[in-house]
Amino acid sequence: MRLSALAAGYEINGDTDPEVSGISEDSRRITPGMLFVAVRGTIDDGHRYVGDAARRGAVAVLCEAAVDTGGLAAGRVPSGPTRRPGPRARSRRAR
């Protein structure tokens, strides 16, 4: 699938629209042709591993913050949760 289809609705920087063979947010699992999704976690920040993903063959990166992507096509996504809370989270908030 093309990056433009996977990241529809988000601005993509770079002059390419690579074919993406898979997606991972763990740079250690990136293989040539994959999209790396860099997100901030509670323990570590995926933005630190963009270079590692590029060395492993990533063709593009989606990230929350501006980072040096080393020439990879890059898309920026909003930070924070993008899903609605599930029923358990909603019930905890109601307390």
Side-chain angles (χ1 to χ4, degrees):
M1 181 173 275
R2 294 271 175 205
L3 176 61
S4 58
L6 291 169
Y10 297 104
E11 180 181 340
I12 303 297
N13 298 319
D15 58 354
T16 62
D17 185 21
E19 184 70 26
V20 174
S21 62
I23 302 170
S24 180
E25 61 183 27
D26 184 339
S27 66
R28 297 167 296 184
R29 295 181 185 219
I30 293 291
T31 58
M34 291 181 73
L35 167 67
F36 177 58
V37 180
V39 294
R40 289 184 185 107
T42 56
I43 297 173
D44 208 352
D45 185 349
H47 295 85
R48 293 179 31 192
Y49 302 100
V50 170
D52 183 48
R55 284 187 293 280
R56 293 174 184 268
V59 293
V61 61
L62 284 180
C63 51
E64 296 174 315
V67 294
D68 178 8
T69 63
L72 295 178
R76 199 100 183 260
V77 296
S79 61
T82 57
R83 295 181 293 166
R84 291 178 41 206
R88 292 179 70 191
R90 284 193 300 266
S91 68
R92 276 188 241 137
R93 285 182 182 176
R95 292 180 192 167

